[in-house]
Amino acid sequence: MKKLSNDIINGKRLTREDDLSFFKTVDLDELCSGADKIREKLCGNHIDLCSIINGRSGGCSENCKFCAQSAHHHTSVERYKFLDPEEIVKDCEYHYNKGVHRYSIVTAGRTLEGEDLEKACKAYKEMHNKYDICLCASHGLVTEETFKKLKDSGVSMYHENIETSRRNFPNVCTTHTFDDKINGIKTAHKVGLTVCSGGIIGMGETFEDRIDMALTLAELDVESIPLNSLIPIKGTCYEDLPTLTEKEILRTVAMFRFINPTAYIRLAAGRTLMSNSGEKAFTSGANATITGDMLTTSGNNIDEDKAMLTDMGFSI
């Protein structure tokens, strides 16, 4: 693992041509140590913090089995239409003053168009003009024209999770395809946006599926990779799935760092499944996190995150 870590630091990149089965069985401490070394040498000690607001909640037409916001499921998630732009701007100001680096509006639904798109662009323009903060957007499967509108409104990054491997995707969702996701990522890059794309582990996939997902993201040159660990939500298809152990999560985080050595590996939902809010993951390859509340599952307090990361010697 030490040799491989050094090779990656010196420019080697893992591909589908390599036998990567060792990731599943190699000593976990050695794997995490190697991933941490790659993170330190190629990404430095800065931790990237982002926060999100649920701009439009519930009633989504898509049937993603993990999601509390799908209209196909019966959950207790709150439903509401697109928020008033001023409410979003005010929330952005709060997070800006907290020292968060990125801020994103996330909306339930297959896409964003019409009046809701105009409201989103209005909010993005105002936030871009008022605050020195990176703006991200997460609005489903949108057109190239919409990507351009978002970029012109101050958005610099688009979020489009591929969720899992190509093989496993039909087991997770059938109302859109894996290629719909891939095309969205490519179009976002085409118009000059950076991309945040990752997925969810713990949905019954194999470890080979996780490796495949990591390889796909590397092939797409994705700049930010959010890793969610499934929190089973009552009323969804996955409500009875067992949660992952901390060791399983750490092995996945470290593997993603080896395959995507220069990307932000961003901890998202599921940090509560690990000790001390996932502290060990930040020495296993992770160098970014969503902080504050997730969309429908409890997240982590911003001040507590900043204190923990500073105490660990990271720059925020």
Side-chain angles (χ1 to χ4, degrees):
M1 293 310 300
K2 289 181 180 178
K3 182 181 184 304
L4 180 58
S5 300
N6 287 329
D7 287 347
I8 289 174
I9 290 166
N10 291 321
K12 177 181 174 62
R13 295 296 179 262
L14 299 175
T15 72
R16 295 184 190 276
E17 304 303 314
D18 296 303
D19 179 4
L20 303 180
S21 59
F22 68 89
F23 277 124
K24 190 175 180 179
T25 56
V26 69
D27 180 81
L28 180 59
D29 288 338
E30 291 184 14
L31 180 66
C32 292
S33 177
D36 190 48
K37 184 177 180 182
I38 294 170
R39 184 272 310 159
E40 182 180 11
K41 294 295 184 181
L42 297 184
C43 303
N45 283 318
H46 174 72
I47 299 289
D48 190 77
L49 303 176
C50 71
S51 292
I52 57 182
I53 186 170
N54 196 357
R56 185 180 67 192
S57 180
C60 181
S61 62
E62 307 307 285
N63 67 355
C64 306
K65 291 182 179 179
F66 57 83
C67 187
Q69 302 201 63
S70 171
H72 297 260
H73 304 145
H74 301 284
T75 68
S76 59
V77 70
E78 184 181 3
R79 292 193 181 195
Y80 52 81
K81 295 181 179 180
F82 198 92
L83 297 174
D84 184 278
E86 291 305 313
E87 183 177 348
I88 295 173
V89 173
K90 184 177 180 180
D91 188 67
C92 178
E93 179 182 26
Y94 170 82
H95 288 89
Y96 171 73
N97 289 332
K98 283 281 189 177
V100 169
H101 308 111
R102 301 178 185 273
Y103 184 80
S104 179
I105 307 173
V106 182
T107 49
R110 182 181 177 89
T111 190
L112 192 69
E113 55 193 2
E115 183 181 353
D116 284 357
L117 175 59
E118 296 309 312
K119 287 181 178 179
C121 288
K122 180 181 179 181
Y124 286 126
K125 286 177 183 177
E126 189 169 347
M127 292 186 291
H128 179 66
N129 290 332
K130 284 187 172 182
Y131 312 116
D132 183 18
I133 192 169
C134 295
L135 296 176
C136 306
S138 181
H139 305 304
L141 303 171
V142 301
T143 65
E144 182 173 341
E145 180 184 0
T146 296
F147 279 127
K148 290 177 179 177
K149 283 186 176 180
L150 293 169
K151 186 172 184 288
D152 289 343
S153 300
V155 172
S156 60
M157 178 178 280
Y158 195 77
H159 172 256
E160 182 83 79
N161 272 356
I162 60 172
E163 309 301 3
T164 187
S165 68
R166 178 180 288 277
R167 181 204 70 81
N168 191 48
F169 191 88
N171 297 326
V172 177
C173 177
T174 58
T175 49
H176 56 267
T177 68
F178 194 77
D179 282 320
D180 288 332
K181 300 281 197 174
I182 300 299
N183 291 336
I185 291 169
K186 289 181 176 180
T187 305
H189 273 153
K190 178 183 175 182
V191 304
L193 294 169
T194 55
V195 171
C196 181
S197 180
I200 305 173
I201 59 173
M203 297 191 294
E205 76 285 346
T206 65
F207 197 82
E208 288 73 19
D209 285 316
R210 297 178 199 168
I211 293 174
D212 187 77
M213 177 169 67
L215 288 167
T216 297
L217 295 169
E219 291 160 356
L220 290 166
D221 293 321
V222 166
E223 294 89 349
S224 170
I225 301 175
L227 291 179
N228 298 268
S229 298
L230 182 73
I231 303 292
I233 298 172
K234 185 174 177 58
T236 66
C237 300
Y238 291 157
E239 64 176 329
D240 294 323
L241 285 183
T243 55
L244 294 175
T245 66
E246 181 167 10
K247 289 183 178 180
E248 289 175 302
I249 298 170
L250 293 175
R251 183 173 294 277
T252 303
V253 168
M255 175 271 291
F256 265 79
R257 173 54 68 201
F258 272 85
I259 295 177
N260 294 271
T262 61
Y264 286 113
I265 304 298
R266 190 177 304 275
L267 301 183
R271 284 175 58 189
T272 52
L273 299 176
M274 295 182 279
S275 57
N276 199 22
S277 300
E279 179 178 3
K280 176 64 177 173
F282 292 105
T283 57
S284 303
N287 66 331
T289 187
I290 297 177
T291 187
D293 288 340
M294 303 296 102
L295 291 180
T296 55
T297 59
S298 177
N300 293 75
N301 179 282
I302 297 172
D303 291 335
E304 291 175 351
D305 271 349
K306 290 171 69 176
M308 177 186 75
L309 292 166
T310 300
D311 288 345
M312 292 176 70
F314 289 108
S315 164
I316 53 173

